[in-house]
Amino acid sequence: MDLPDATPPIGRFVEVDGRRLWVDTREGPGPCAVFLPGSGEMGLDLWQSFDRVTQSRAGVIYDRGGTGWSSPVALPRAAAAVAGELEALLRALGVQDAVVLVGHSLGGAYAQRFAQLFPDRVAGMVLLDPVHGAWNAAMPERLRIKPNASTSVVVTDEHRAAARRWRESVTTDLPPQICQLVRDRHAADDLETGPREGANFVEILDELGPGPFAAPTIVLRAGTVDPLQAQFSTADDLRERAAALRHMYEAALPAGSQSRELSTATHSDIALGFAEDVAAAVREIGEATRGRGFVA
């Protein structure tokens, strides 16, 4: 995979466990919001939500190893490895108080694993259409994810063209100085990293387990069919899966947590085009932590 060498005109690199991780931070009151993008995505894909959230609090976006501008690593990775890398990054950044994790899709699974392994480091979570350990158990048999399923998906030139058109449409609000770099980075990746990151999906479900979310959580759910996912599944299957996920999320919510549907959001754009909803959820979680002894 021949990725461009250009460094984003914002952020910096931090050395973590012998590899270079790209990170951007904002100062402000806590709890700090830490953003975890979905499979094959990178920190700047969450720029709109990061920028909106950090108008009122501290924040971190970063590229985990093997994605974006960070050093390459062998993929897929165990969720515990990703969580450990994030904990080391937060220590390197001097983030000592408990954080609010904002995770999209597979990034939501990594957020949950972090909360399981480092419970004292997590004030709460805002999860956007996240993976959860009960995923396959919640699905009808025909919609369950099989081992190594993502590596068997045939990505065609048509899929790549559709992804480029979609990327162009959802990046129009990015600052001009980074918009083209983000588009070029994804174009160079050619839809390779996402399937590689998700190849151990079933193993990650086993890591997470079927229990409740490990911290106070607001789940924001996509409310309409995703045109990118519809290239690989029928609309009926996607609607049936969404209904199963709604029940799964509700069953996994700990006391005081919530699951909400954003009626016009799709799985692919919920982290990109709904910054106000994400910021509102982060604010609610942050306010709730005041009663739990966390710095807010």
Side-chain angles (χ1 to χ4, degrees):
M1 181 170 54
D2 185 18
L3 292 177
D5 293 329
T7 299
I10 62 172
R12 64 188 189 276
F13 290 105
V14 175
E15 190 82 7
V16 173
D17 295 335
R19 69 176 65 98
R20 206 172 61 154
L21 299 183
W22 177 86
V23 63
D24 193 27
T25 60
R26 295 272 181 90
E27 299 296 324
C32 179
V34 180
F35 290 77
L36 294 87
S39 179
E41 302 294 312
M42 54 191 176
L44 289 180
D45 287 313
L46 301 180
W47 172 264
Q48 289 95 327
S49 290
F50 171 73
D51 188 51
R52 179 64 186 85
V53 166
T54 56
Q55 291 176 22
S56 60
R57 69 178 61 250
V60 173
I61 52 172
Y62 80 110
D63 295 339
R64 57 183 168 263
T67 70
W69 282 269
S70 290
S71 297
V73 298
L75 298 175
R77 305 169 74 190
V82 176
E85 176 185 79
L86 176 57
E87 201 278 332
L89 174 63
L90 293 178
R91 281 191 282 106
L93 294 174
V95 178
Q96 299 178 350
D97 292 324
V99 301
V100 173
L101 300 172
V102 184
H104 172 233
S105 193
L106 185 63
Y110 295 147
Q112 291 168 65
R113 193 68 178 123
F114 185 95
Q116 290 173 345
L117 294 173
F118 309 103
D120 293 340
R121 299 285 268 139
V122 181
M125 300 186 291
V126 174
L127 303 180
L128 317 176
D129 252 15
V131 173
H132 180 268
W135 180 289
N136 271 349
M139 293 292 160
E141 178 67 33
R142 63 188 178 81
L143 296 181
R144 293 176 183 172
I145 305 296
K146 304 295 191 297
N148 301 310
S150 68
T151 58
S152 66
V153 173
V154 177
V155 179
T156 67
D157 289 341
E158 183 179 353
H159 295 146
R160 296 184 180 96
R164 282 193 296 272
R165 290 192 297 270
W166 175 83
R167 184 73 55 189
E168 289 174 0
S169 72
V170 298
T171 55
T172 54
D173 292 335
L174 286 173
Q177 71 269 28
I178 63 173
C179 178
Q180 196 58 49
L181 277 175
V182 169
R183 293 176 179 179
D184 290 345
R185 200 72 174 177
H186 279 290
D189 181 73
D190 215 19
L191 297 183
E192 290 184 13
T193 301
R196 290 170 59 216
E197 271 203 297
N200 64 337
F201 186 92
V202 174
E203 290 83 356
I204 287 176
L205 298 184
D206 291 339
E207 272 192 87
L208 296 178
F213 295 116
T217 301
I218 294 177
V219 174
L220 299 181
R221 309 188 317 270
T224 193
V225 171
D226 188 324
L228 294 183
Q229 291 183 332
Q231 296 182 94
F232 303 98
S233 301
T234 68
D236 285 344
D237 281 354
L238 289 174
R239 281 190 285 268
E240 186 172 357
R241 186 174 78 175
L245 292 178
R246 181 174 65 253
H247 294 303
M248 180 191 75
Y249 295 143
E250 290 171 353
L253 292 174
S257 297
Q258 302 177 47
S259 176
R260 303 173 188 161
E261 182 177 290
L262 305 182
S263 61
T264 59
T266 71
H267 178 78
S268 295
D269 72 10
I270 191 170
L272 303 169
F274 295 83
E276 291 296 332
D277 298 279
V278 174
V282 171
R283 185 166 56 251
E284 289 181 50
I285 286 290
E287 291 171 351
T289 63
R290 288 193 178 95
R292 300 179 64 240
F294 292 113
V295 175

